[in-house]
Amino acid sequence: MDPRKTKIFHIAAALMIIGLLAFAWPLVTGHPETAWQAYLVNFLLFSAIAQGAVLFSAMMNTVQARWSRRFANIAEAFSAFFPISFILFLGLFFGREYVFPWLHHDLHGKEVWLNVPFLFSRDMVALFILYGLGFIYLYYALWFKIGPDTSGSALKNRLSRWWQKRRPDAEKYEHRRYVFGVLYLLAFAVVLSLIGYDLVMAAEPHWYSTLFGAYAFIKAIYIGFGALIILAAFLHLSKNVPFELSSAEFLDMGKLFFAFCLAWADFFYCQLVVIWYGNISEETSYIIARTVLAPWNRIAWTVFIVCFILPFLILLNRKIKTVPKAMIALCSVVIVGMWLEHYLLLGPALTHHAASMPVAPVEVGVALGFIGLLMAAVFAYFNQFPEMLESGAGTSE
């Protein structure tokens, strides 16, 4: 293997080992709730990043955008995280006592919906459909990008054999790529809403928000696009990769990121204001616990500043959107803010009477492990399809 690729995989492996040790440490020292809370938060965050990044490709294909072709090529690499995300979801079953605070509580009739067998069954089917649609969309998209007669890696050889069994028909493949792209978009909205309700909102089973589903999938798009910009900027800056983007492409992607920054803030604000002015005790207590009471109020202000105020003010500048290093820094800060936002939403329900913010070396270590998993998945994809890293990839469309 190329020494540069070996180095990347070694870094990813080192991060995964750190994450595994960070997860195992509280388990062996008698604090399994800490390990499983960090596991849940990072599962939600990194799954949303992968789902949101692949959404970019499906969305651009649906509207037949041409400017975004190179961004779409690398966005599809995040689909390699889908099988890992699915397995990680199944792993939550072993920590169910620590991630579902409603277990063994009187749910006043909600136990019909909130019971472990039904929850895992419906979420497993939902994720299977979402990831299945994503892979079928990718199957037809790759036909146009690498061609039916390609060969090289094991996965490419298998794809080539499947394509050659059927009569080449570009019009039919184009139609199917469009249809499965649209189905992925629809499934994305439904499944992300369901996951948000079941794994985040249900942590406070007597609180509900009709906006929470939309808030969950808008947030996934926001951080998915942020991760895509970070990956694109790193590849663009690398002297060893023939992948380059123009200033105009960075500018357009920066505008899109700015638009979803506003969309996320709009849902954040609408949800907060409606509940606040409704002034219904079972609803406002949820907001008060997270925005007024210590230590969560500090996280709330941090999230609001780094996920909205900071990117809003910075991205008003047109020039900054075309500077890859600046966009890497800004998008990284937003993703860290969203990582904290998951602790804000789940923390008061999972860690009652917390005296300090639950962000310690264990939580950071588990997050590094998930970064390693995502890195390994994305670069394994590029190892299978290295032509996606060439600026001219996919011109046969």
Side-chain angles (χ1 to χ4, degrees):
M1 185 184 285
D2 188 317
R4 295 186 299 273
K5 294 179 182 176
T6 305
K7 184 179 178 183
I8 291 170
F9 279 109
H10 282 171
I11 294 172
L15 291 173
M16 285 188 279
I17 292 170
I18 292 171
L20 187 61
L21 293 174
F23 178 73
W25 177 252
L27 290 180
V28 298
T29 55
H31 298 286
E33 70 284 355
T34 303
W36 284 109
Q37 182 177 344
Y39 183 100
L40 174 62
V41 165
N42 287 289
F43 161 76
L44 291 167
L45 182 81
F46 286 90
S47 296
I49 285 175
Q51 294 154 352
V54 175
L55 181 99
F56 177 84
S57 174
M59 183 188 290
M60 292 299 114
N61 177 65
T62 302
V63 300
Q64 299 182 346
R66 296 295 177 189
W67 69 268
S68 55
R69 179 176 52 79
R70 282 190 277 265
F71 271 109
N73 285 345
I74 60 170
E76 290 155 7
F78 286 89
S79 62
F81 191 74
F82 285 176
I84 298 171
S85 167
F86 191 77
I87 294 169
L88 290 170
F89 169 74
L90 298 179
L92 280 175
F93 181 80
F94 300 101
R96 60 191 180 281
E97 293 287 338
Y98 308 104
V99 298
F100 299 141
W102 42 264
L103 276 177
H104 315 303
H105 285 196
D106 185 356
L107 297 174
H108 304 291
K110 292 184 179 178
E111 51 278 315
V112 175
W113 180 262
L114 287 181
N115 62 80
V116 171
F118 186 35
L119 184 147
F120 270 92
S121 300
R122 65 175 177 263
D123 287 359
M124 186 175 67
V125 170
L127 286 174
F128 185 80
I129 291 172
L130 177 67
Y131 293 158
L133 289 171
F135 281 130
I136 297 173
Y137 164 73
L138 192 61
Y139 173 82
Y140 290 109
L142 284 173
W143 189 85
F144 290 96
K145 294 178 180 178
I146 63 176
D149 300 320
T150 187
S151 62
S153 65
L155 180 57
K156 237 190 306 190
N157 291 339
R158 182 177 291 275
L159 284 172
S160 182
R161 284 198 294 275
W162 286 343
W163 287 325
Q164 288 172 4
K165 287 179 183 175
R166 298 164 179 80
R167 185 172 59 84
D169 189 335
E171 188 177 346
K172 182 189 291 183
Y173 272 51
E174 175 61 39
H175 177 67
R176 290 181 179 175
R177 179 173 66 165
Y178 174 80
V179 168
F180 283 102
V182 172
L183 289 176
Y184 180 82
L185 295 178
L186 295 173
F188 178 88
V190 174
V191 174
L192 267 290
S193 297
L194 179 67
I195 295 294
Y197 287 136
D198 281 351
L199 300 185
V200 184
M201 195 175 84
E204 297 271 10
H206 302 301
W207 178 80
Y208 69 92
S209 164
T210 52
L211 275 175
F212 202 84
Y215 175 73
F217 70 72
I218 289 293
K219 179 172 62 178
I221 298 174
Y222 187 25
I223 55 178
F225 287 11
L228 176 58
I229 291 172
I230 292 172
L231 177 61
F234 269 118
L235 293 172
H236 175 81
L237 293 171
S238 174
K239 295 177 181 175
N240 301 314
V241 177
F243 182 86
E244 290 185 3
L245 293 165
S246 65
S247 294
E249 287 171 305
F250 272 114
L251 178 64
D252 289 338
M253 192 65 203
K255 290 176 184 174
L256 206 53
F257 187 65
F258 181 64
F260 278 95
C261 165
L262 295 176
W264 172 80
D266 184 48
F267 279 93
F268 187 90
Y269 172 78
C270 290
Q271 185 167 249
L272 177 70
V273 169
V274 169
I275 293 173
W276 191 268
Y277 279 97
N279 199 24
I280 301 172
S281 57
E282 62 266 29
E283 293 183 356
T284 50
S285 61
Y286 182 92
I287 300 297
I288 289 170
R290 287 160 177 78
T291 59
V292 177
L293 303 180
W296 309 109
N297 55 349
R298 279 173 279 171
I299 297 186
W301 279 107
T302 304
V303 169
F304 184 63
I305 291 170
V306 303
C307 292
F308 175 61
I309 299 293
L310 197 64
F312 176 80
L313 294 176
I314 291 176
L315 290 174
L316 285 175
N317 185 300
R318 178 186 176 89
K319 178 71 177 174
I320 203 78
K321 301 186 189 76
T322 65
V323 181
K325 289 182 180 177
M327 290 304 289
I328 288 174
L330 180 63
C331 294
S332 300
V333 167
V334 169
I335 290 175
V336 171
M338 285 299 176
W339 180 68
L340 290 172
E341 187 254 12
H342 282 84
Y343 279 102
L344 176 67
L345 295 179
L346 289 165
L350 298 176
T351 313
H352 296 289
H353 311 300
S356 60
M357 291 190 288
V359 181
V362 168
E363 283 78 10
V364 176
V366 174
L368 291 176
F370 275 77
I371 292 172
L373 280 172
L374 185 62
M375 273 182 65
V378 168
F379 283 96
Y381 178 92
F382 287 137
N383 204 35
Q384 293 290 320
F385 304 108
E387 55 271 70
M388 291 297 109
L389 292 175
E390 296 171 6
S391 292
T395 51
S396 58
E397 294 178 78

